[in-house]
Amino acid sequence: MADSPLPPRRPELDRPIVELMRDLPGLQNILEEHKVPVCCGGECSLAEALHNAHVAEDVVLRDLDRECARAEAGGPDDGEPHFHTLFEPFRIKSVEPLGKTTRAERRRLLESSGYNLFRIPAAKVLIDLLTDSGTSAMSADQWGAVLRGDESYAGSRSFFRFEEVVRDLTGFKHIIPTHQGRAAEKILFSIVGGAEHTIPSNTHFDTTRANVEFSGAHAVDFPTPECSDTGAFHPFKGNVDLDALEDCLLRHGRTEIPLVLMTLTNNSVGGQPVSLANLRAVRGLCNRFGVPLFLDAARFAENCWFIKAREPGQERRPLAAIARDIFALADGCLFSGKKDGLSNMGGFLGLNDDDLADRARTLLVLTEGFPTYGGMAGRDLEALAVGLSETLDEEYLRHRVRSVAYLGEGLRRAGVPIVEPVGGHAVFVDAGRLLPHLGPDDLPGQALACALYAEGGVRGVEIGTLMFGRTDRATGRQVAAPHELVRLAVPRRVYTRSHLDYVVEVMTRVAARRERILGLAIAEEPPYLRHFRARMQPKLPLPARIPCPEVW
């Protein structure tokens, strides 16, 4: 009898572990269960890792098959056929033409804007990945709700619908609407901030830090040590460093720390998620020291998805239940509805403390409007209420997270260094690693972002020394940020895979000429949030470092 043919070799065995983890986040749990270490930053193949650990391939592949079924189904295997093609879980009902420009025109625009992409007119941008804030495409149900908007100054029906949805989601006693998240920040930190106060966080994002510091308080960040290596895989690089947070609470105490703020997901370190276990540990520390815990929950839904996909014991829980667990740990939250609210405008401040809520409403009337509209039109309240009802839909989130990962995979294949693992709302390119000839004083992230726009009309945003550093007035040198990144934030329900393929193609061309990219110097800067309005100019090339400089 002839020998039975060998089964075909499984393609998963030859893929780098870091890529497999993008598709199957549960793989990390499988490898940990079988005590298979992940070396070389996950760049080794699955077969190599199993061989080095002396673990049989068929044992892990069997567990991997179960994980594949769970990941594709989003739950228990229901007997339905599952397909690998990821498609948009929606139909396109309205389109908007994209504005094309020439390279010469884009270079003129860069020069006239002071090499600040915030100053470029949107009509002159082909693919706009500047931000995912307020750039979502609203659903048919949201547009229908717009027509239902009650524009009454006081006691609007739209507010009560909005309040009911938010309270059901978060459980907070007081729901205070604001026109966007930074308005909620301004109100909160005007009350609890002030000199001699310290606000610790996993990482404050730009407007949060600015509002804390404008009040006179100190914003301090304690990101988990795992996020210091942008190329290393860790499932929850958005976590706070618990030891550092505890030390801060010990040194400053309740009298100097009015609250602890956790940002979900952690935008500044690559859109990385925070685990439920880390949040519970933070809650324990806050209880121990008598300090309230607040959330910056702008991207809570994406954070819930990663908890369900990556955290042991959470894989079969509904996303709404995970969200309720998150909000139940907090005493209040800041929320921008322009991210996971799937809306173009709106936000809220959620509170449980009656006195704090009363003081917040007093400021709300002074700065935003009456407490039942808070700077939002009734139609915006309606659209945001519907968006919050849609954002935890698993089909939507599966497509959302997978689409962003698709962009990251394309850049990785092109040899472009990115923050690993890819976050939920954006891919972060590591400009410091891509442009080693530029130091922090050269603003490598901004230089790369300008090169990307000049080459193909793609607009991203620098997350580095321009945004989070400062100019030392004594030396004129830049005080560097921890990382030099360019964020490519993907608007929700706006772009298709072909748009993302184009972004990869443009970045690949830019990376091929990376040595020619000039550094930038700040010519003008405002005292706060300088990246929005600063003007820059190219530095003169150093022939020994840049043999053939790129001409902006």
Side-chain angles (χ1 to χ4, degrees), residues 236-266:
F236 293 104
K237 286 169 91 171
N239 284 351
V240 72
D241 183 330
L242 293 169
D243 291 336
L245 177 60
E246 181 180 21
D247 180 66
C248 179
L249 290 164
L250 281 167
R251 283 185 289 109
H252 295 283
R254 177 67 178 95
T255 57
E256 295 181 22
I257 299 180
L259 60 86
V260 171
L261 182 69
M262 291 292 290
T263 307
L264 313 178
T265 55
N266 194 338

Side-chain angles (χ1 to χ4, degrees), residues 375-436:
M376 295 172 65
R379 55 184 173 270
D380 292 326
L381 288 164
E382 294 280 3
L384 182 49
V386 175
L388 287 170
S389 301
E390 294 176 343
T391 194
L392 288 173
D393 177 79
E394 292 204 7
E395 287 302 316
Y396 154 71
L397 278 171
R398 178 180 291 108
H399 173 264
R400 167 70 176 160
V401 172
R402 189 66 191 89
S403 294
V404 177
Y406 176 80
L407 174 60
E409 289 163 7
L411 294 173
R412 192 187 303 116
R413 284 195 298 272
V416 176
I418 62 175
V419 175
E420 302 282 7
V422 175
H425 74 287
V427 177
F428 289 67
V429 177
D430 193 331
R433 290 164 59 197
L434 185 65
L435 307 178

